[in-house]
Amino acid sequence: MKYLIMMYPNAEVLDALSEEERNAVFQGHGEFMTKIKESGEFVGTAALGGADQSSVVSVRGGVPAVTDGPYAESKEVVGGYYVIEVKDRDRAHEIAAMIPDAAVEGLGIEVRPIVFSEDASA
């Protein structure tokens, strides 16, 4: 089963960390990726640009309109994600707990099953 693991990097929380703590979180992602690649459970990952760089496209009456994002006003915006393939939900939770952000007070990791996907190379 594939799962999408989403990270919500709250700027206020990250800014409150010391430089050493922030660096440990960022470097921890490399170590995390090495572990799940070695286990064969890694599918992919991406870090996203900030919400201030997003745009929203809507079509009304056949006319597209583009406005500055984000789509919704929120303190929590997806900042990046991992896609994993594991045997069950419990293992997805174990992997999510390995992500450095999960250990930072005020941050959390969302785990959601992927119910449909199509390989872009097909």
Side-chain angles (χ1 to χ4, degrees):
M1 178 86 188
K2 288 184 182 174
Y3 286 86
L4 178 66
I5 298 177
M6 294 173 282
M7 296 160 288
Y8 299 86
N10 183 314
E12 291 175 11
V13 171
L14 292 173
D15 288 346
L17 299 176
S18 70
E19 184 176 347
E20 183 179 329
E21 290 169 322
R22 270 192 308 280
N23 289 338
V25 168
F26 298 140
Q27 291 172 358
H29 280 272
E31 297 164 9
F32 167 75
M33 285 191 291
T34 297
K35 286 179 186 175
I36 63 170
K37 284 178 181 179
E38 289 173 353
S39 72
E41 296 167 308
F42 178 82
V43 174
T45 187
L48 305 175
D52 60 335
Q53 299 172 344
S54 69
S55 53
V56 177
V57 178
S58 58
V59 179
R60 301 294 180 266
V63 178
V66 179
T67 56
D68 290 339
Y71 179 74
E73 293 298 322
S74 175
K75 283 195 211 179
E76 296 180 345
V77 178
V78 177
Y81 64 86
Y82 292 102
V83 176
I84 59 171
E85 188 163 9
V86 295
K87 63 180 179 167
D88 58 28
R89 185 175 185 212
D90 289 338
R91 179 61 180 153
H93 290 158
E94 289 173 7
I95 289 175
M98 294 166 52
I99 296 173
D101 306 47
V104 176
E105 185 70 36
L107 300 181
I109 305 298
E110 183 176 352
V111 177
R112 193 179 298 185
I114 296 175
V115 296
F116 173 81
S117 67
E118 184 173 346
D119 188 337
S121 64

